[in-house]
Amino acid sequence: MKAHDAIYIDGAWRPAAGQDVIEVVDPAEERVIATVPAGTALDIDTAVRAARAALPGWAATPPAERAARLTALRDSLEARKDEIAETVTAELGSPLPFSQAVHAAVPVAVAGSYAELAASYSFEEKVGNSTVLLEPVGVVGAITPWNYPLHQVVAKVAPALAAGCTIVLKPAEDTPLVAQLFAEAVHDAGVPAGVFNLVTGLGPVAGQALAEHPGVDLVSFTGSTAVGRQIGAVAGAAVKKVALELGGKSANVILPGADLARAVAVGVANVMSNSGQTCSAWTRMLVHREQYDEAVSLAATAAAKYTDRIGPLVSDKQRRRVRAYIEQGITEGARLVAGGPDYPRERGYWVSPTVFADVTPEMTIAQEEIFGPVLTILRYEDEEDALRIANGTVYGLAGAVWAADEAEAVAFARRMETGQVDINGGRFNPRAPFGGYKQSGIGRELGAHGLAEYLQTKSLQF
Ligand code: NAP
Ligand code: MG
């Protein structure tokens, strides 16, 4: 069933309580491609009640059976991968090959990893004279952003299902269509009614109602620091668990002796990927002063090649925000070596791949998350200086270190205040814990650490 005009509650598509809709816009064409219900507090309440009612049954379902549903979900996502990729391209604007390789494929891998974990995880452990039961936290309110719209949904829903939790999802207003596809996949996977529920809607309406609902035990949020702070405050007041995956301003540290050409090429690719709309993007490149000019020229040349490769930003709002940051960089005295604030196309929310040189650590563009295809290149004097700069923001989500040998890179990475570091171009690992130090967030997603977020302990003494 195609159900753009419905919300998914208690195993069925049904109309929202109100008549309001959200228009979904294709950012490449600036054209409305669909409308979805703008759910309200009433819909959230219905969904949370359904999730609460389904909780005892799902929590008591043997992990092997939960694993079987997750395997079916993984297979259902895989079977729909072309439709998923086309949908993400339509509502987010990412080029189709990227949608296939990342937006569609990574969620299949993550769902698969939780199918395996649900089957193999030990939901009981012995500590001396105690048996510790690892029980589901309860009803999860999941609030997700638009930048990796299916990945961010699966990174919450799959571990929650594995843990025995039930879920209400409020996806981003800009990318609700892939969330609807996901709900269809969950349904087809035979997940019992009420275990997963989807309410599309606006953040300050449906999202806030979900975060505040007393029937929600854990709020898992990915998005901006500003909204994350509010959700953390609401959850704190209600003594509710909260997981926050927020922004980043990650450092790509190129130590002297590293393969400069490769480090710069991979670094630029990392920032331009998904048009810079990646929370873990290495948006600050740190280069030793003796290699600085060469790195800048390599980066400027590399960035220019992305002009026809990257997609538009998700919305006009994001495009205006990114342009304002580029203008601020120029005002603060950074040197533009590629791209700039002008919009490169008449139609579609594109921003040119942009590189700033002569960026100093205190500049706004070196401190704040821009969320666009904008790279800043900073100069350092020695390793201690590089470390100070790398750790010198409120964020700590990801990063990279390049060095002549791995041990040197690892020694530097140990001193970085961040949740992930790629060593000499290490690959993304969908089972490695992902999440932030400092203001990049609270909690971890993916793999066994991600599963643990959805569990609470009960100790039985003998
Ligand atoms: P956002 O507003 O934080 O959106 C994230 C999610 O939270 C969306 O589902 C949103 O709904 C919802 N939301 C918004 N206000 C809420 C509220 N008061 N209570 C509960 N839920 C609420 O992020 P954005 O406006 O889309 O993007 C702004 C900036 O955030 C970006 O430029 C970027 O810097 C950062 N960001 C970071 C990530 C990340 O992965 N860490 C992802 C996206 C954005 P709506 O869709 O209706 O707003
Ligand atoms: Mg918003």
Side-chain angles (χ1 to χ4, degrees):
M1 171 181 177
K2 265 263 156 306
H4 286 335
D5 56 352
I7 55 181
Y8 181 76
I9 296 179
D10 207 14
W13 292 95
R14 58 166 83 185
Q19 298 300 314
D20 289 353
V21 294
I22 294 168
E23 291 187 334
V24 185
V25 174
D26 174 344
E29 296 292 335
E30 303 188 26
R31 194 164 50 84
V32 176
I33 53 170
T35 60
V36 301
T40 58
L42 256 175
D43 301 303
I44 290 291
D45 185 57
T46 310
V48 172
R49 284 168 193 276
R52 279 233 83 81
L55 181 63
W58 186 244
T61 300
E65 170 57 18
R66 299 202 298 255
R69 294 304 113 229
L70 278 159
T71 301
L73 174 60
R74 181 222 163 270
D75 293 348
S76 170
L77 292 173
E78 170 137 78
R80 289 163 192 259
K81 64 182 188 328
D82 292 337
E83 203 186 341
I84 288 169
E86 282 157 21
T87 301
V88 175
T89 289
E91 61 185 353
L92 175 65
S94 47
L96 192 59
F98 188 77
S99 296
Q100 289 164 330
V102 176
H103 293 301
V106 174
V108 172
V110 172
S113 76
Y114 280 111
E116 286 172 24
L117 267 168
S120 62
Y121 198 78
S122 159
F123 291 93
E124 208 176 295
E125 48 189 54
K126 291 263 184 242
V127 180
N129 64 313
S130 301
T131 296
V132 180
L133 309 179
L134 295 160
E135 299 189 332
V137 158
V139 173
V140 174
I143 302 174
T144 54
W146 41 264
N147 54 329
Y148 288 86
L150 183 58
H151 170 65
Q152 285 145 334
V153 165
V154 173
K156 299 188 191 307
V157 175
L161 290 176
C165 294
T166 60
I167 302 124
V168 176
L169 168 67
K170 201 303 279 178
E173 67 184 89
D174 291 319
T175 54
L177 301 180
V178 74
Q180 294 182 331
L181 266 183
F182 176 74
E184 291 177 359
V186 170
H187 188 86
D188 293 348
V191 173
V195 170
F196 170 80
N197 307 274
L198 168 70
V199 179
T200 50
L202 300 177
V205 182
Q208 193 163 328
L210 183 56
E212 289 175 348
H213 200 292
V216 170
D217 301 295
L218 162 71
V219 183
S220 179
F221 169 84
T222 300
S224 63
T225 304
V227 174
R229 218 185 283 282
Q230 279 180 39
I231 287 177
V234 167
V239 198
K240 204 179 269 188
K241 290 195 190 334
V242 68
L244 303 173
E245 207 274 272
L246 309 176
K249 193 73 193 177
S250 296
N252 178 16
V253 181
I254 307 176
L255 295 175
D259 179 345
L260 186 69
R262 177 147 180 269
V264 171
V266 175
V268 170
N270 176 287
V271 172
M272 299 307 159
S273 167
N274 212 36
S275 300
Q277 302 168 118
T278 305
C279 45
S280 56
W282 309 334
T283 48
R284 298 179 297 144
M285 184 182 283
L286 275 54
V287 186
H288 189 265
R289 62 182 157 75
E290 278 174 14
Q291 292 172 307
Y292 189 80
D293 292 339
E294 191 186 349
V296 167
S297 119
L298 286 168
T301 309
K305 293 193 187 127
Y306 286 87
T307 304
D308 298 317
R309 281 192 213 164
I310 60 172
L313 299 190
V314 69
S315 64
D316 187 46
K317 175 188 145 201
Q318 285 301 114
R319 179 174 64 166
R320 280 185 278 117
R321 188 187 136 102
V322 171
R323 167 147 76 176
Y325 273 115
I326 295 174
E327 281 169 345
Q328 183 152 8
I330 296 168
T331 306
E332 289 183 4
R335 174 163 57 98
L336 199 56
V337 295
D342 295 340
Y343 295 149
R345 301 194 194 186
E346 234 163 72
R347 197 154 45 126
Y349 307 131
W350 267 271
V351 169
S352 296
T354 296
V355 179
F356 277 110
D358 299 343
V359 177
T360 52
E362 74 291 347
M363 285 182 187
T364 306
I365 56 167
Q367 287 293 328
E368 294 183 12
E369 183 172 57
I370 298 174
F371 237 58
V374 182
L375 172 67
T376 64
I377 312 185
L378 295 95
R379 188 187 278 105
Y380 68 82
E381 295 293 318
D382 55 30
E383 252 186 55
E384 291 309 309
D385 192 31
L387 188 71
R388 249 190 323 271
I389 296 170
N391 289 339
T393 77
V394 296
Y395 294 115
L397 189 54
V401 183
W402 303 80
D405 72 284
E406 217 167 88
E408 186 192 356
V410 170
F412 191 92
R414 283 184 184 279
R415 299 168 74 199
M416 290 171 80
E417 296 163 0
T418 192
Q420 284 214 343
V421 184
D422 293 352
I423 304 294
N424 283 338
R427 284 174 300 118
F428 174 70
N429 177 357
R431 288 160 193 256
F434 181 91
Y437 277 39
K438 302 194 283 188
Q439 288 182 30
S440 285
I442 298 175
R444 294 292 179 270
E445 294 197 311
L446 303 181
H449 288 85
L451 177 55
E453 296 283 331
Y454 295 91
L455 295 167
Q456 58 189 343
T457 58
K458 178 184 286 169
S459 306
L460 310 180
Q461 283 64 244
F462 294 89

